[in-house]
Amino acid sequence: MAAAEEESAVKEPLDLIRLSLDERIYVKLRSDRELRGKLHAYDQHLNMILGDVEEIVTTVEIDDETYEEIVRTTRRTVPFLFVRGDGVILVSPPLRTA
Amino acid sequence: MLFFSYFKDLVGREVTVELKNDLAIRGTLHSVDQYLNIKLENTRVVDQDKYPHMLSVRNCFIRGSVVRYVQLPPEGVDVELLHDATRREARGG
């Protein structure tokens, strides 16, 4: 197999993440958290270092009187973040328009 | 091994460790081990009003498994170095 082909072939799930290095990815985490950031490093546990990260936390509160669900999202940005892999639910690479 | 080595190089820097129970602790990274257990010195809890019982804690050991995030100092992140190390690790290095 040619070297270039070997670099870009997706044979196992983690290859997809390898190809997202230095790209902005979407990460869904436990406890209703989502991250968007540039992937700088990862390992087989899906521990990651992301840059220019936006975190979105979704919380649902019940209104005391109407019992309606109030969905709140809180956002914050962090320059560099290490994310422990055990909280990761899914990782999605950027949309490639080619 | 990648992140173990990375955090070893980060020893002596200020980091903020966010735990799975939402407690955030800022301190100087004293040491780290293969499980990414972390020892912090000169610690302070980020939200002291919410966690006043932690006021007197000045250094602590954090079990790696309870960590959610570690906020890294920008000067402690060499992006090119991380990319190379990650590619090496992905090849099974």
Side-chain angles (χ1 to χ4, degrees):
Chain A
M1 190 191 280
E5 201 180 329
E6 197 171 16
E7 272 286 294
S8 62
V10 178
K11 287 191 235 147
E12 50 169 306
L14 276 174
D15 290 345
L16 190 71
I17 295 167
R18 192 192 69 220
L19 296 174
S20 306
L21 256 189
D22 210 21
E23 307 253 22
R24 284 192 80 78
I25 57 166
Y26 166 83
V27 184
K28 186 171 167 57
L29 296 168
R30 284 167 173 264
S31 59
D32 296 313
R33 283 161 200 271
E34 297 165 277
L35 301 174
R36 277 190 182 81
K38 204 172 190 187
L39 181 65
H40 291 308
Y42 73 89
D43 66 9
Q44 69 272 37
H45 307 290
L46 255 22
N47 294 323
M48 289 182 276
I49 290 177
L50 300 177
D52 251 327
V53 194
E54 184 189 37
E55 186 202 38
I56 303 169
V57 185
T58 308
T59 49
V60 179
E61 292 169 31
I62 308 286
D63 189 293
D64 286 339
E65 280 149 26
T66 63
Y67 297 105
E68 275 179 299
E69 288 188 349
I70 306 163
V71 180
R72 284 209 176 80
T73 57
T74 41
R75 288 159 191 265
R76 62 166 176 161
T77 55
V78 185
F80 284 103
L81 197 63
F82 164 81
V83 181
R84 193 174 162 93
D86 60 359
V88 173
I89 294 174
L90 73 83
V91 179
S92 171
L95 288 173
R96 262 183 270 272
T97 46
Chain B
M1 278 317 266
L2 195 171
F3 290 101
F4 175 37
S5 311
Y6 173 75
F7 278 113
K8 271 198 291 190
D9 287 342
L10 214 61
V11 162
R13 306 241 194 201
E14 278 262 301
V15 294
T16 303
V17 180
E18 296 185 36
L19 310 185
K20 287 182 178 140
N21 64 358
D22 292 332
L23 181 66
I25 306 171
R26 185 157 181 79
T28 309
L29 187 63
H30 171 274
S31 53
V32 65
D33 67 13
Q34 55 166 327
Y35 305 107
L36 304 187
N37 296 322
I38 288 172
K39 190 172 177 296
L40 291 181
E41 289 185 333
N42 299 314
T43 57
R44 58 201 174 277
V45 171
V46 173
D47 191 350
Q48 295 203 329
D49 299 338
K50 201 172 160 192
Y51 304 96
H53 56 286
M54 291 284 289
L55 264 175
S56 58
V57 177
R58 279 294 158 264
N59 52 73
C60 64
F61 171 98
I62 299 167
R63 186 179 154 100
S65 63
V66 303
V67 172
R68 179 184 289 137
Y69 303 134
V70 181
Q71 291 182 30
L72 307 167
E75 65 276 13
V77 182
D78 183 332
V79 168
E80 293 305 319
L81 210 75
L82 283 174
H83 291 176
D84 291 346
T86 300
R87 291 207 180 88
R88 264 201 305 281
E89 184 107 339
R91 280 201 298 270

